[in-house]
Amino acid sequence: MSKTFKIEVDCANCANLVEDAAKKVAGVKDLSISFMTQKMKVSFDDNADQAAVMEMILKVAKKVEPDFEIL
């Protein structure tokens, strides 16, 4: 299952760094961030708890870029 989320990230490099880190979160099958559209598409593993995965993505993203937000 895939979902698209509106995000807020300050620069293209930050978006790339967050994308690389967030792809490693358990339960994420695939993840892509578009800096231009300020959107993040997440494909979840079949048995993943989506709320828990999103919480971990935000936690990892904030370590890389403290201003990162999922709206």
Side-chain angles (χ1 to χ4, degrees):
M1 165 170 242
S2 294
K3 287 190 176 180
T4 302
F5 300 89
K6 182 85 175 127
I7 60 168
E8 186 174 307
V9 63
D10 295 336
C11 69
N13 186 51
C14 297
N16 288 334
L17 294 172
V18 169
E19 181 178 303
D20 290 343
K23 281 182 175 182
K24 298 174 185 169
V25 170
V28 173
K29 187 182 291 185
D30 192 31
L31 184 143
S32 62
I33 293 178
S34 171
F35 173 71
M36 294 299 290
T37 62
Q38 295 283 299
K39 291 188 178 176
M40 173 175 66
K41 184 175 182 180
V42 182
S43 295
F44 299 94
D45 287 338
D46 292 335
N47 299 329
D49 177 352
Q50 293 180 14
V53 171
M54 290 307 299
E55 193 174 307
M56 284 304 300
I57 288 172
L58 183 58
K59 187 176 180 180
V60 166
K62 284 201 171 276
K63 284 183 183 178
V64 175
E65 174 52 46
D67 293 335
F68 183 86
E69 294 293 336
I70 300 173
L71 307 174

